Amino acid sequence: QVQLVESGGGSVQSGGSLRLSCAASGSIDSISAMGWYRQAPGNQRDWVGDWAMQGYINLSEAVKGRFTISRDTAQNKIDLQMNNLEPDDTGVYYCYARILELGAGWSDYWGQGTQVTVSS
């Protein structure tokens, strides 16, 4: 069974920084992508950024220049470093991954979500 476990998050003032981590565990054969979405109250879930198997890292225009993504392939882990946070960054952040589970096919998995609150 595969699962994603997130850590980090919390409350900061505008201009502050936070770091989120997501670790995948279980019967993992391969991971083709890992990334983050976020959802503000009353809004849809929006893509923040991701890492792809080819090594590319992509970030949305809303966070480019402020957020960075790093990937630890040995530990099946991805981090989201968030700097210069703004109140509009507030929301629940979800980690996701496309994983090939041993003995099974490719599936998308989601973390439980972690709250990020930025006050002005």
Side-chain angles (χ1 to χ4, degrees):
Q1 184 178 357
V2 173
Q3 63 175 352
L4 301 182
V5 178
E6 299 161 0
S7 59
S11 298
V12 295
Q13 290 190 324
S14 183
S17 297
L18 286 172
R19 188 177 185 89
L20 306 182
S21 293
C22 174
S25 63
S27 303
I28 297 171
D29 188 335
S30 181
I31 299 178
S32 65
M34 289 187 82
W36 298 90
Y37 277 73
R38 67 185 181 186
Q39 188 168 21
N43 288 3
Q44 64 183 15
R45 194 172 292 190
D46 293 325
W47 174 76
V48 174
D50 59 22
W51 166 92
M53 181 184 282
Q54 298 82 2
Y56 300 125
I57 292 177
N58 303 288
L59 291 164
S60 69
E61 289 300 320
V63 305
K64 198 173 289 185
R66 300 186 297 121
F67 292 11
T68 58
I69 287 176
S70 58
R71 170 96 163 91
D72 184 337
T73 54
Q75 298 193 33
N76 291 329
K77 181 170 167 278
I78 188 171
D79 289 345
L80 179 67
Q81 177 65 42
M82 305 183 291
N83 298 326
N84 195 19
L85 283 160
E86 303 167 354
D88 284 349
D89 295 318
T90 295
V92 179
Y93 283 67
Y94 296 92
C95 173
Y96 76 93
R98 177 154 293 180
I99 295 174
L100 177 63
E101 189 175 354
L102 289 169
W106 289 95
S107 297
D108 292 333
Y109 294 86
W110 291 87
Q112 77 281 7
T114 186
Q115 177 70 42
V116 171
T117 302
V118 184
S119 57
S120 57

